[in-house]
Amino acid sequence: MRYRRLVVAIVSIALALPAPLNAQSGPQNSDLALGIRQVDVGNVAAAVVTLDGAIRQLTGAKGREEELSLAHLYMGIAYIELSQFERAMAEMREAWANNKGLSLDPKKFAPRVIQAFDEAKAEARGGPTNAKVAPSPHVQPAEKAQGKKGGGGSKALLIGGGLAAAGAGVFLALKKDPLDVDDDKDGTSENQGDCNDRNAAVGPQGTFQFSNARFETASFNCPRGTNLPDPKIVLFDGLNNTCSTAAVLSVSATVTITTVSGTNNFVGQAFTFANVAFTPNSVAAAGSPATFRATIGLVCSNPSGGGGTFNDVSGRITISSSVGQVTLTTTNTARTVFP
């Protein structure tokens, strides 16, 4: 799946960090900056390795708790993308433990990331783990967030896709749920009901069609002195570009004589069959094809030998299905030879 990039310009807020970040370098720790970029572009397996190095470097470093918190946060996001949810929750708990003022902006982070962080925070506090996504918080000056001017409480840091610090403008991109992305640009994503998001022709708005009716066997010999079945097998194709299985309800057929060797007698004579046996009886959804086989029960009679004469016939079949009715004409003719 492709991911739509949600690029966020981080608001600069005044925080008293021992070594402020600058707009050019982003986070001071190079492994942290690289790990964030790797998560940003979806290279989460590499991000796990890079962020692990950043966490090792930042753990125990005085005044680097906010960077350490950010490293754990993005490690948690990487583990979510890798479907390693227990590890993700552990990293989210560490992110909060290292910066209890950490808050995620729901306008910048995917809902499942915010939900995981909120639940991890609730677990760390010993409370219930059914936290809901919080409304979008607002950036506050550090003094106001502490509750008193110049107080000693923890600073409230609003993370909007990166680390906010004095003079820093960090640009990051976060992934949304891949199933919300309309990859084939047909107006619906997989979460909206698209059963094949790789093909714009397939989806809830897709069509169903039957086509290419043809006789399976071009010629049949009717032996001298016999009166026996001369079944004409008609093949036809179905293509289901909808998201529901299509059922074939019935098939009828008309066979018309087009040629009689040596004479024009009987040319144009037609035989109708109301209920023709066919198989299969449905076409699966999501762009699935199927080839149907309908058997028309003709009989040939050659009691005394025909001297090598023959008849040619064309066919028309009418197919009734759960998506409507259509009539097809065979693209070839079928011949019966009387030796």
Side-chain angles (χ1 to χ4, degrees):
M1 290 279 183
R2 299 188 300 274
Y3 302 104
R4 186 174 63 192
R5 295 171 59 87
L6 304 177
V7 181
V8 181
I10 305 305
V11 179
S12 297
I13 62 175
L15 293 177
L17 293 179
L21 309 182
N22 58 65
Q24 287 74 36
S25 63
Q28 276 189 305
N29 184 278
S30 59
D31 281 347
L32 173 57
L34 175 59
I36 290 173
R37 289 196 298 271
Q38 288 170 330
V39 171
D40 173 39
V41 299
N43 190 6
V44 290
V48 168
V49 176
T50 304
L51 291 169
D52 180 69
I55 289 170
R56 292 175 186 272
Q57 296 167 38
L58 293 168
T59 298
K62 189 175 180 180
R64 309 292 292 277
E65 292 81 8
E66 288 176 352
E67 283 187 285
L68 179 58
S69 172
L70 192 62
H72 281 294
L73 174 66
Y74 275 87
M75 180 75 92
I77 295 172
Y79 278 134
I80 288 173
E81 295 302 320
L82 292 169
S83 299
Q84 298 184 33
F85 300 112
E86 291 185 7
R87 290 187 174 185
M89 294 297 286
E91 294 296 334
M92 295 290 185
R93 287 193 294 270
E94 288 295 325
W96 179 79
N98 281 279
N99 181 7
K100 292 184 172 60
L102 179 63
S103 178
L104 306 188
D105 187 348
K107 294 182 179 180
K108 312 301 186 297
F109 282 84
R112 60 179 177 172
V113 172
I114 295 178
Q115 182 179 0
F117 179 73
D118 287 344
E119 292 187 2
K121 183 166 61 174
E123 286 182 5
R125 287 172 169 171
T129 59
N130 58 348
K132 296 180 180 179
V133 176
S136 178
H138 300 285
V139 176
Q140 298 179 346
E143 296 85 355
K144 186 175 180 180
Q146 294 173 45
K148 59 179 180 178
K149 206 166 186 177
S154 62
K155 299 180 178 67
L157 175 62
L158 172 64
I159 300 297
L163 180 64
V170 183
F171 294 86
L172 296 174
L174 294 176
K175 293 184 291 182
K176 65 185 292 185
D177 186 341
L179 299 183
D180 283 333
V181 179
D182 179 17
D183 289 328
D184 58 10
K185 309 302 182 186
D186 64 356
T188 54
S189 68
E190 287 161 298
N191 277 343
Q192 294 172 322
D194 196 337
C195 50
N196 186 339
D197 209 24
R198 300 176 302 278
N199 186 343
V202 180
Q205 77 290 341
T207 60
F208 184 94
Q209 63 181 19
F210 290 110
S211 63
N212 194 26
R214 69 274 187 196
F215 286 109
E216 181 181 49
T217 303
S219 182
F220 176 82
N221 284 331
C222 186
R224 179 180 298 188
T226 60
N227 185 21
L228 76 166
D230 176 14
K232 300 300 183 188
I233 309 299
V234 176
L235 305 178
F236 59 95
D237 300 324
L239 179 63
N240 186 2
N241 283 337
T242 74
C243 289
S244 301
T245 298
V248 178
L249 307 176
S250 66
V251 175
S252 60
T254 298
V255 175
T256 302
I257 298 174
T258 59
T259 305
V260 177
S261 60
T263 179
N264 287 326
N265 292 339
F266 309 110
V267 172
Q269 186 173 353
F271 306 89
T272 299
F273 301 83
N275 292 297
V276 174
F278 63 91
T279 186
N281 59 10
S282 64
V283 187
S288 299
T291 296
F292 291 82
R293 193 171 190 268
T295 304
I296 304 171
L298 291 177
V299 175
C300 76
S301 179
N302 187 14
S304 58
T309 60
F310 62 87
N311 298 337
D312 291 334
V313 297
S314 65
R316 297 184 72 216
I317 58 170
T318 298
I319 308 149
S320 297
S321 72
S322 58
V323 293
Q325 186 177 90
V326 65
T327 297
L328 304 176
T329 300
T330 56
T331 58
N332 59 349
T333 57
R335 173 168 293 183
T336 301
V337 178
F338 302 91

